[in-house]
Amino acid sequence: MTVVDELIAALGPGIVATDAASLALTQADKSGHMSTSAPLAVVNATSIADISTTLRIASATGTPVVTRGAGTGLAGAAIASGGEIVLSTLAMNRVLEINPADQLAVIEPGILNGRFNEILAEQGFWFAPDPASKAISTVGGNIATNAGGLLCAKYGVTRDAVLGLTVVLASGEVLELGHRSVKGVTGLDLTALFVGSEGLLGVIAGATVRIRPLVRGTVATIAAFFPTVTDAAAASAGITASGIQPAVMEIMDAASLEAASTLLALPGVSTGEAHLVVQTDGPAAAEEAEQALAVIQSLGGRAELSTDPVEGERLLAVRRAMHPAMERLGTTLIEDVSVPRSALPAMFAEIVRIEQAYGIRIPTVAHAGDGNLHPNFIFEGTEVPELIWRAADELFGTALKLGGTLTGEHGIGILKKRWLGDELGETQLELQRRIKAVFDPSGILNPGKVF
């Protein structure tokens, strides 16, 4: 009996898919990369028991397992290949509990971030992690990559919103990690370890997350334009240095702004200039927006301030359209580095230098509120040319020299594993490998990713 036969016998044919179309969908994600061979099967889990059964069979047969949500990742961490089982949690999409008194919710991993927020809004709450892909990405995937987004400078990344996890180990054992209380320091923090673990340590089968009351009052949005992207970055650094805490602060260079506004067919969006959008919320929103506007204008920015929520959403829609807009320019290597916020002008200047040195285009946006940049390397064809990898290597090295990191929110996956040792060093890299071996001694979980 093959491993696929065992899965069908244990779970039923309705749970295990082996048709060519289902398998092909799991060979790629939003990174633009694709594996060269199809996996053995896709298990569409509907319960923790399905996950546990799948992992017990995989462990007994030594079959690799790739966990997958909506497949919106940008680092290739959920791409499956030949000889592997894909364990999909997309069908596990229920909200099991909303507790207003304790400001928490219990969810299954397949619930879409945007849908989860729609459900919460009906009770006056929201979930703070706000990736640009929130309409199509799952909360389980957000947890597996420790996703960030436009709002994380003020409200935190996904790890800050996770209180507890239900995790299934490679052996099929089920662990309940974390707590429902605000505080909790019993033992090592395994909950935090699993957030951002990219499917290496176990399968996230459920989560207890923090929710917040909807922010009331004025939301003020500033749309600013600058001659160069380094000018825009200097203004964002100036806003940060002034002590203002925007909910959103995003930079788009001229190329990315033009591509996004063309995609959305938006009238009245200036092109040929760099764009800085700043949004403040809460009781001090109006005052903070005026202070931010003064900083922008003092540094040569042309800006307008609006408290119209429709106009605010229109401006943020331009930023959220960045990734689909890049697909129209050619094949895209979407990257993700972070630097200290004061180093943003220097990092943007280096990106411009690397563009000129290699004769390539690197449209770049940034979550300026937290120093997270997304350079997009544009090229023709399906394989990343060596020239692009050399330019990326120089860009990554620059981020590290400025005190930054290889990835702020997308993860390592397959795209950045060759550079992991540059940041961690051999001692820490080996320690992390040993930690994985404790949770996954046979090495069946997401092989070939990260390490």
Side-chain angles (χ1 to χ4, degrees), residues 303-440:
E304 293 183 2
L305 190 160
S306 174
T307 55
D308 179 358
V310 175
E311 175 65 8
E313 282 305 307
R314 184 183 77 90
L315 291 167
L316 293 187
V318 178
R319 167 60 186 86
R320 290 193 173 103
M322 169 63 175
H323 292 310
M326 290 300 99
E327 294 174 357
R328 293 191 169 195
L329 299 182
T331 309
T332 307
L333 176 65
I334 302 168
E335 281 305 341
D336 163 48
V337 296
S338 284
V339 296
R341 290 171 291 184
S342 61
L344 269 175
M347 189 68 215
F348 269 110
E350 280 297 292
I351 292 171
V352 172
R353 183 191 64 77
I354 291 169
E355 278 186 310
Q356 295 170 348
Y358 288 87
I360 59 177
R361 292 183 296 166
I362 316 176
T364 302
V365 298
H367 305 305
D370 55 32
N372 188 187
L373 301 96
H374 295 308
N376 292 258
F377 295 82
I378 308 298
F379 59 93
E380 299 299 326
T382 57
E383 295 296 322
V384 181
E386 185 57 34
L387 176 73
I388 296 292
W389 283 127
R390 291 203 305 271
D393 179 77
E394 194 165 335
L395 189 149
F396 298 154
T398 298
L400 295 178
K401 288 175 184 176
L402 290 172
T405 179
L406 292 170
T407 176
E409 57 188 11
H410 293 171
I412 297 295
I414 58 175
L415 292 188
K416 288 186 175 173
K417 60 182 181 178
R418 72 171 86 172
W419 292 279
L420 191 60
D422 293 345
E423 178 171 341
L424 299 183
E426 190 53 43
T427 300
Q428 186 181 167
L429 186 58
E430 177 57 26
L431 180 60
Q432 292 204 16
R433 289 193 183 103
R434 285 156 57 189
I435 290 171
K436 173 173 169 55
V438 170
F439 288 92
D440 179 24

Side-chain angles (χ1 to χ4, degrees), residues 185-209:
V185 294
T186 305
L188 300 178
D189 191 351
L190 297 184
T191 306
L193 181 62
F194 268 86
V195 178
S197 60
E198 299 190 54
L200 296 178
L201 307 180
V203 177
I204 295 167
T208 301
V209 298

Side-chain angles (χ1 to χ4, degrees), residues 54-90:
T54 301
L55 289 174
R56 288 185 191 279
I57 292 171
S59 184
T61 58
T63 309
V65 176
V66 176
T67 307
R68 188 176 173 96
T72 61
L74 293 166
I79 291 176
S81 300
E84 299 175 338
I85 299 166
V86 176
L87 180 49
S88 172
T89 59
L90 194 57

Side-chain angles (χ1 to χ4, degrees), residues 291-311:
Q291 293 171 354
L293 182 63
V295 172
I296 289 167
Q297 293 174 334
S298 73
L299 293 172
R302 177 173 55 82
E304 293 183 2
L305 190 160
S306 174
T307 55
D308 179 358
V310 175
E311 175 65 8

Side-chain angles (χ1 to χ4, degrees), residues 33-54:
H33 288 253
M34 179 176 291
S35 69
T36 57
S37 56
L40 297 171
V42 178
V43 175
N44 295 296
T46 60
S47 66
I48 295 172
D50 288 347
I51 296 174
S52 182
T53 298
T54 301

